[in-house]
Amino acid sequence: MGEEVLFWNCAGGIKSKIDYLREYLKGKNFLALFISESDIKSEDLDLIKLFNYDVLLANTSSTGKSRVICYIKSNVSFTQVKVTHRHLDIIAVDFGSSRLVGLYRPFKLPENFNKSSYFNSLVDSLLELSKTDKKLLIGGDFNVDLHKKSHELDRLEQWSIDAGLNQLVQLDRFTRIRVVETQNNSVRVESSSLDHIYTNMLEVKLIFENSISDHVHLRVVVSTEPKCKPKKDKLLIRDWRKYDKDEANEIMMENLAQISSYSLTDLSVAYNQTLEEIAPLRVAKVAEQELISSKVAALQKRRDRFLKKYKKTGSPEHLCKAKSFSNTIKKAVKRQARRIFQCKARSSNPGHFWKALNEKMGKCKEPVIELEVDGVKISDQQEIANQFASFFKHKVASLSCDRILCPPLISPNVPITISFTEMEAALKSLSNKKSFGIDGIPQNLFKDTSLCAGDLINKTINSFARSGLPEDLKTARVIPLHKKGSKLEITNYRPISNLSIFSKIYEKCLLSRLNQELPGAEGDHQHGFRRNHSTETALLTLQSMIAKTLNEGRQGMIYSIDLSAAFDLLKPDKFLEQFKDQLSEGLLFSLMDFLTGRKFVVDMNGVRSEVKELDRGCVQGSILGPKLFSLYMSKLKTEVGADDISIVSFADDTYVIVTPPEIDRVVSITESTLQKHIAFLKSIGMVVNETKTEVMWIGTGAPPVDHITVGNNLIKLSTKMKALGIFIQGNLSWDEQAEHAISKSKKLLSAFKFLRKYLTEEQFLKAASANYYGSVYYASSVWFHCIKKSHKVKLTSVHFRLLRTAKKDYMMKFKRNELTELCQRATPEQWAKFITASRVIKIVRNKEPAYLYDNLTKCYFEEKRYPGVGMFFDNSRIKKGQQALANRLLFMRSIKYPWNEKPMSDDLIRIEMKKCFFTFIQHPPPVAQQNQSES
């Protein structure tokens, strides 16, 4: 059997039949599937994804829905052909020397078209698409009956003759059979051949298959060349089902007692022996079909039996029974899909629930099984791993042409000594993940058995401090992670490193020492990889700086620079030059040893590539790497900063705000600052994409120029930019971000309506908290309080529609306050107040970030009646200036308990705040009032 293409009119929308389609595809391997009458909106695309298939939509109709979709095998390279007439439901795709076209001709026509003009434009498009030297396969629901003579059928026959195409659907077969009830309660059968298949291929076979819709499946075998089925490799996985922590400790102690010397090699052998005993490798069962339902198979046989009887006798009753069985099959498949999901979701492992949920939402991670390099497809796993290794190596090499001039490392006279207490703290901070590095020791096993091997681990990492990391521990196990675009393109992947567990413990100890010797050395402008800092604090700082500029009646600019592979280009020699006089001899040696002599291998589906060397970069996925990168970039403020220039950074994303008092100097100062910034980055080995530099104007009026000049590049001035995931506008109008949030909320609402049939109410609310609220209201403390009332109304409306979906309250029986109580979910307004108050309290108690803390203290006072209760007042003069964090906290007056007192824990503060802001939580008297009444 060769490559196959499916044409099917699903009749009534694909969303209600997606479970049936997934069941139908099990054990089959189509090149492409064209589904007519799919009625799918672009925002619902994630709900209809199929494993190992990409999805294309036809032009959406006047209803906003696409009437034709096309599924294409993910590991196939293709090009979508542009269709001239945008009102037509046509998808055309080129695969090498072949062109596939799927279409649907609807009964309901677009505006300004009648039946004749629409059909003429359809034929014109078919003429245009068939003018090619490629092999053609064109099919779909033409809504032209092959059994009835008509002008439209004559036009199609003339077109097929002119294009040299043959019609595969013969007159002795019907592609659509429908049972219709008449007024006298009898039934009649409507039979027609509305689905056509045209091709100029010589060896083509058409297979008719029954389906649950009125239209049959049309399977076209486009190539009859026999193909050898790929040999399936055995999938070996760790068997953690009987893992027990106490048993692991006992076995580890026995293995340690058998070794004579306590070197790293012997310790690793002891761990691997323990691993083989406590969680041995096993062959995973790879089934063609997942939890097959024998009931569905039996129903299909009974349906097909009645269809055969109908074909022999022509009795409408037999066809009615067949159609009845089709409806029963559809319902059974839905129940089966729900049962499969609940089998996974109710597992004791919470990870199984989220994995099952992501699969339903189209977010499942698929292994890389094929690549295309220089036009040649590669399926050998060893070759794919080597290709990835060469690509990641070449990517860094192509960006860095200069040599590393780092002196050879000499063991220090006074190495650092890591105490058992430091090592123990590092062990406790490890998570119980099963990930592992090049040595194969899982993190959870290492942590669980640390008590019996603690002294040996401590001696081992101190040996690293004296003589450096062993070569094996400097080798990272890299896993390619798909970012976006075609999965065949190697450029659409980025590397994720897994390091040895011994290296991780050592890094944690070095990080602790580094924070002691260079506290705050990364600069107060850096919000990445720092305690009490986040993307949210960076955005609040940026917002407050813009608000201050507007409040003072000034204007300015913000720019951001795009860097290529920033973490991979850190130069060890430049790092040594920067910090050789600031760090102790022992710590400097350990850090330089960590940065130099790095290697990596790519691990693909259990197959490892050849080893590649790297002469620069801080490992992505390491614990120490982000801190070293922040220190490496710390001199930016010294090089660029000034009284009228502020900097806000998160990792390698930097935003520079230029606000001089003189408006006529804004452009010149921005250009000179930008040039100094680029020169500094190049001096430390960074690669700058100057053409991708963004510059935004700050101010309520129009900018004085439309561009600025940097070197030989003209950079266009904008009034908005996307910063750390949200849209910011120079006049602090949040229309763009609000519209983005509303659009995202509607898309997710549609997805959750689809998911509701699989989830219980508790599971639904759990999934919504993680996937809906976390996505739509990301950084809501920055923008939600500042958007227009009309936007708040829309977001609130979608919020309650989500809760109605949870309660299945489609007839709107519950009032909004009742829904809030029943679902225990805060409204968007309540949540924004709560999360903002939570952030403010952390800033005041921890006194960082410094910029926000300084501004908050200027507007802060304590209520005399409630000691320790902080209040804030609005210090701005204009509306835009009120957006500074310190100027929009009047709702904090509702908190009447001593949140500023250190003895009150953060957890207790969070509980008390929920009582203040969430209406569905009981409101006892405030803590301060209770104390006064007791006294």
Side-chain angles (χ1 to χ4, degrees):
M1 186 66 68
E3 296 283 8
E4 296 185 14
V5 179
L6 177 74
F7 294 91
W8 180 43
N9 184 320
C10 65
I14 189 62
K15 281 174 65 176
S16 63
K17 299 178 179 66
I18 190 64
D19 293 325
Y20 164 78
L21 186 59
R22 287 178 179 137
E23 185 76 20
Y24 169 77
L25 288 176
K26 289 176 181 176
K28 299 180 178 68
N29 186 23
F30 287 100
L31 174 69
L33 300 91
F34 291 93
I35 313 294
S36 302
E37 210 170 314
S38 51
D39 291 340
I40 194 75
K41 293 183 179 179
S42 57
E43 57 262 29
D44 294 338
L45 201 58
D46 289 341
L47 307 180
I48 60 164
K49 285 186 177 179
L50 299 176
F51 183 71
N52 278 337
Y53 285 93
D54 297 325
V55 190
L56 296 177
L57 299 183
N59 298 320
T60 54
S61 64
S62 56
T63 61
K65 296 179 180 180
S66 180
R67 306 303 304 275
V68 176
I69 62 173
C70 176
Y71 290 102
I72 303 172
K73 197 190 300 183
S74 296
N75 59 357
V76 173
S77 181
F78 67 89
T79 304
Q80 187 170 2
V81 182
K82 185 178 180 181
V83 179
T84 305
H85 299 284
R86 293 189 56 81
H87 61 273
L88 297 176
D89 295 298
I90 297 180
I91 297 178
V93 185
D94 283 349
F95 298 86
S97 61
S98 301
R99 173 172 291 179
L100 306 184
V101 181
L103 62 86
Y104 173 68
R105 182 191 172 200
F107 286 105
K108 187 176 180 180
L109 300 175
E111 294 182 4
N112 303 323
F113 281 92
N114 55 36
K115 187 176 180 180
S116 176
S117 62
Y118 186 91
F119 182 76
N120 289 336
S121 64
L122 178 65
V123 176
D124 290 342
S125 291
L126 291 175
L127 284 168
E128 184 180 344
L129 290 170
S130 57
K131 290 179 181 178
T132 178
D133 295 331
K134 296 180 181 293
K135 296 178 181 178
L136 286 168
L137 180 64
I138 301 173
D141 185 352
F142 285 69
N143 272 319
V144 177
D145 196 344
L146 291 171
H147 294 82
K148 296 179 180 178
K149 281 292 180 181
S150 64
H151 170 69
E152 294 171 338
L153 184 59
D154 293 339
R155 285 286 310 275
L156 288 175
E157 288 178 350
Q158 186 61 48
W159 158 72
S160 63
I161 293 170
D162 293 341
L165 303 176
N166 295 321
Q167 168 65 274
L168 295 185
V169 180
Q170 301 300 317
L171 293 178
D172 59 340
R173 298 296 299 267
F174 294 103
T175 64
R176 175 180 175 270
I177 304 173
R178 185 181 181 188
V179 179
V180 181
E181 291 188 9
T182 61
Q183 293 180 352
N184 57 1
N185 295 327
S186 62
V187 293
R188 61 182 175 85
V189 179
E190 289 183 354
S191 302
S192 57
S193 292
L194 305 180
D195 303 274
H196 303 188
I197 305 289
Y198 298 93
T199 186
N200 58 5
M201 300 179 186
L202 297 178
E203 296 183 356
V204 181
K205 183 180 179 181
L206 178 62
I207 301 173
F208 291 77
E209 287 184 336
N210 300 319
S211 77
I212 59 170
S213 78
D214 296 337
H215 296 252
V216 300
H217 293 301
L218 297 177
R219 290 175 62 181
V220 183
V221 183
V222 298
S223 173
T224 56
E225 295 179 5
K227 274 193 174 182
C228 296
K229 290 187 178 180
K231 185 179 179 181
K232 289 188 176 180
D233 296 327
K234 292 182 179 179
L235 182 61
L236 296 175
I237 62 172
R238 287 283 168 197
D239 190 356
W240 294 99
R241 294 174 295 182
K242 297 181 180 180
Y243 176 77
D244 181 74
K245 179 180 176 180
D246 294 333
E247 187 181 353
N249 272 288
E250 291 177 10
I251 296 173
M252 184 64 184
M253 290 178 71
E254 292 174 5
N255 290 328
L256 287 173
Q258 295 175 6
I259 61 177
S260 55
S261 62
Y262 296 114
S263 64
L264 174 64
T265 303
D266 291 333
L267 194 55
S268 298
V269 169
Y271 269 109
N272 281 299
Q273 288 176 346
T274 305
L275 178 64
E276 290 302 325
E277 292 187 55
I278 200 71
L281 288 170
R282 68 178 178 90
V283 178
K285 293 180 180 179
V286 183
E288 284 289 339
Q289 300 184 9
E290 186 182 44
L291 298 177
I292 304 171
S293 171
S294 57
K295 182 179 179 181
V296 172
L299 288 170
Q300 288 175 338
K301 288 181 180 179
R302 296 181 69 183
R303 187 266 314 274
D304 293 344
R305 198 176 300 130
F306 278 107
L307 282 173
K308 287 181 180 178
K309 289 181 179 179
Y310 163 71
K311 289 175 182 177
K312 287 182 179 179
T313 64
S315 170
E317 286 76 11
H318 288 153
L319 186 59
C320 281
K321 288 184 178 180
K323 291 298 178 182
S324 176
F325 275 113
S326 288
N327 292 330
T328 307
I329 290 170
K330 179 180 174 182
K331 294 175 183 177
V333 169
K334 282 185 178 180
R335 287 195 300 269
Q336 174 76 350
R338 192 179 298 113
R339 183 177 69 83
I340 292 172
F341 177 85
Q342 287 299 332
C343 284
K344 298 176 181 178
R346 289 172 178 167
S347 167
S348 57
N349 185 347
H352 292 171
F353 169 75
W354 296 111
K355 183 179 179 181
L357 182 69
N358 288 333
E359 286 174 357
K360 285 297 177 188
M361 296 185 74
K363 298 179 181 178
C364 52
K365 295 180 181 178
E366 303 167 9
V368 183
I369 56 175
E370 200 170 20
L371 282 179
E372 185 171 321
V373 180
D374 298 328
V376 179
K377 289 183 180 178
I378 302 172
S379 56
D380 180 71
Q381 296 301 300
Q382 183 64 62
E383 180 62 21
I384 290 176
N386 289 334
Q387 287 287 345
F388 271 114
S390 299
F391 168 70
F392 293 143
K393 167 75 176 177
H394 176 72
K395 182 180 179 181
V396 176
S398 63
L399 293 172
S400 53
C401 303
D402 53 342
R403 296 179 58 190
I404 300 296
L405 304 173
C406 194
L409 292 176
I410 302 174
S411 298
N413 295 320
V414 186
I416 61 171
T417 303
I418 297 168
S419 67
F420 187 88
T421 305
E422 288 178 287
M423 185 271 301
E424 192 175 31
L427 281 169
K428 287 181 179 178
S429 65
L430 285 175
S431 59
N432 275 315
K433 296 189 296 184
K434 296 182 179 68
S435 59
F436 57 91
I438 197 74
D439 54 10
I441 303 174
Q443 190 165 301
N444 63 329
L445 177 65
F446 191 87
K447 182 177 182 179
D448 290 344
T449 58
S450 60
L451 289 175
C452 59
D455 290 331
L456 298 178
I457 296 171
N458 193 35
K459 290 178 182 178
T460 302
I461 60 176
N462 273 306
S463 70
F464 301 161
R466 289 192 300 272
S467 53
L469 277 168
E471 185 176 341
D472 289 346
L473 297 193
K474 288 190 177 184
T475 305
R477 172 176 163 263
V478 170
I479 299 173
L481 182 67
H482 180 252
K483 296 182 293 184
K484 58 182 178 180
S486 172
K487 293 183 175 67
L488 287 172
E489 294 292 331
I490 199 169
T491 54
N492 293 331
Y493 292 82
R494 65 183 178 91
I496 297 295
S497 299
N498 285 310
L499 302 183
S500 162
I501 187 62
F502 289 100
S503 176
K504 287 185 177 182
I505 294 296
Y506 183 48
E507 288 176 55
K508 280 182 174 287
C509 296
L510 291 182
L511 181 61
S512 176
R513 288 298 181 89
L514 189 56
N515 287 330
Q516 292 174 22
E517 292 196 18
L518 293 177
E522 59 268 68
D524 58 6
H525 65 283
Q526 179 60 259
H527 291 253
F529 320 116
R530 295 180 65 190
R531 191 175 181 181
N532 300 320
H533 293 70
S534 64
T535 54
E536 190 177 13
T537 60
L539 288 166
L540 286 169
T541 302
L542 195 63
Q543 179 189 29
S544 295
M545 288 177 174
I546 298 173
K548 180 184 177 184
T549 302
L550 296 174
N551 192 39
E552 293 173 354
R554 293 193 290 166
Q555 295 174 313
M557 291 185 185
I558 297 180
Y559 71 79
S560 67
I561 294 178
D562 183 73
L563 299 178
S564 296
F567 279 72
D568 297 326
L569 297 178
L570 184 149
K571 297 179 66 179
D573 54 347
K574 291 289 183 182
F575 186 89
L576 177 63
E577 184 183 330
Q578 267 186 269
F579 297 102
K580 62 183 178 182
D581 298 325
Q582 300 181 44
L583 295 169
S584 63
E585 177 193 9
L587 183 57
L588 184 63
F589 165 80
S590 295
L591 295 178
M592 292 304 300
D593 173 64
F594 174 79
L595 287 171
T596 54
R598 304 297 313 191
K599 299 177 182 178
F600 73 93
V601 294
V602 173
D603 193 331
M604 293 289 302
N605 304 323
V607 177
R608 288 183 177 175
S609 71
E610 54 196 16
V611 179
K612 298 288 185 180
E613 296 184 357
L614 291 173
D615 64 348
R616 68 194 70 207
C618 52
V619 185
Q620 294 192 51
S622 69
I623 296 163
L624 189 58
K627 177 72 173 182
L628 296 180
F629 181 81
S630 297
L631 292 174
Y632 191 63
M633 300 284 287
S634 60
K635 284 192 175 181
L636 174 64
K637 194 167 185 178
T638 306
E639 296 289 330
V640 176
D643 292 339
D644 301 325
I645 298 172
S646 304
I647 301 174
V648 178
S649 298
F650 187 88
D652 59 331
D653 292 316
T654 299
Y655 303 91
V656 179
I657 304 99
V658 183
T659 55
E662 305 87 358
I663 295 177
D664 56 346
R665 295 187 61 211
V666 171
V667 175
S668 60
I669 293 178
T670 302
E671 290 178 342
S672 62
T673 304
L674 193 48
Q675 288 174 347
K676 286 191 292 184
H677 193 162
I678 293 173
F680 164 74
L681 292 172
K682 290 182 177 180
S683 71
I684 60 173
M686 295 289 113
V687 175
V688 180
N689 294 323
E690 295 185 26
T691 55
K692 292 186 179 180
T693 300
E694 290 184 275
V695 183
M696 183 180 75
W697 176 255
I698 301 174
T700 54
V705 294
D706 61 353
H707 70 274
I708 65 171
T709 306
V710 179
N712 297 324
N713 296 315
L714 298 179
I715 301 173
K716 188 177 179 181
L717 212 60
S718 176
T719 57
K720 64 181 179 182
M721 68 164 48
K722 191 172 185 180
L724 300 178
I726 70 171
F727 294 93
I728 294 180
Q729 292 170 263
N731 60 356
L732 284 185
S733 171
W734 294 92
D735 294 344
E736 190 86 11
Q737 174 60 25
E739 293 294 341
H740 174 71
I742 292 168
S743 174
K744 185 183 288 187
S745 67
K746 290 180 179 178
K747 179 179 178 180
L748 287 172
L749 175 65
S750 178
F752 274 95
K753 282 183 176 179
F754 171 79
L755 288 172
R756 185 62 183 93
K757 61 185 176 182
Y758 302 102
L759 301 169
T760 63
E761 182 181 323
E762 182 183 358
Q763 291 171 343
F764 182 89
L765 291 171
K766 179 181 177 182
S769 296
N771 291 46
Y772 178 86
Y773 295 105
S775 177
V776 174
Y777 298 105
Y778 162 69
S780 60
S781 62
V782 180
W783 56 270
F784 186 83
H785 296 294
C786 311
I787 61 177
K788 296 175 182 176
K789 185 178 179 180
S790 58
H791 290 142
K792 288 184 179 180
V793 169
K794 290 179 181 178
L795 284 169
T796 304
S797 175
V798 179
H799 160 80
F800 281 108
R801 285 165 64 191
L802 185 74
L803 298 189
R804 292 191 191 282
T805 304
K807 301 299 294 183
K808 294 187 177 180
D809 180 31
Y810 304 116
M811 302 304 293
M812 301 181 69
K813 295 179 180 178
F814 295 115
K815 295 181 180 178
R816 285 188 170 186
N817 59 340
E818 292 174 332
L819 283 171
T820 302
E821 295 285 343
L822 290 169
C823 296
Q824 299 281 290
R825 290 298 182 278
T827 65
E829 184 77 30
Q830 292 170 345
W831 177 253
K833 287 181 178 179
F834 168 76
I835 207 69
T836 306
S838 178
R839 174 61 61 190
V840 168
I841 289 173
K842 286 180 181 178
I843 292 171
V844 174
R845 285 165 66 94
N846 298 316
K847 299 184 179 180
E848 54 182 2
Y851 179 86
L852 293 175
Y853 175 72
D854 291 342
N855 281 272
L856 286 172
T857 52
K858 294 175 183 177
C859 301
Y860 174 85
F861 67 96
E862 283 195 6
E863 174 62 53
K864 293 181 180 180
R865 294 173 294 175
Y866 308 111
V869 176
M871 302 290 185
F872 295 89
F873 60 90
D874 188 347
N875 195 34
S876 65
R877 295 193 301 272
I878 62 173
K879 184 177 180 180
K880 299 298 181 184
Q882 292 171 3
Q883 290 196 22
L885 179 61
N887 294 333
R888 51 187 173 91
L889 299 173
L890 296 180
F891 62 83
M892 292 283 287
R893 294 176 182 270
S894 59
I895 304 176
K896 295 291 192 300
Y897 53 86
W899 55 264
N900 198 24
E901 293 182 358
K902 281 292 181 183
M904 194 169 188
S905 68
D906 290 340
D907 290 338
L908 185 56
I909 285 177
R910 196 171 182 85
I911 293 171
E912 293 295 332
M913 274 201 304
K914 287 182 179 179
K915 296 174 184 176
C916 295
F917 294 113
F918 298 163
T919 57
F920 52 83
I921 292 179
Q922 293 181 355
H923 291 70
V927 176
Q929 291 184 7
Q930 288 180 9
N931 294 337
Q932 289 177 5
S933 61
E934 289 172 2
S935 61

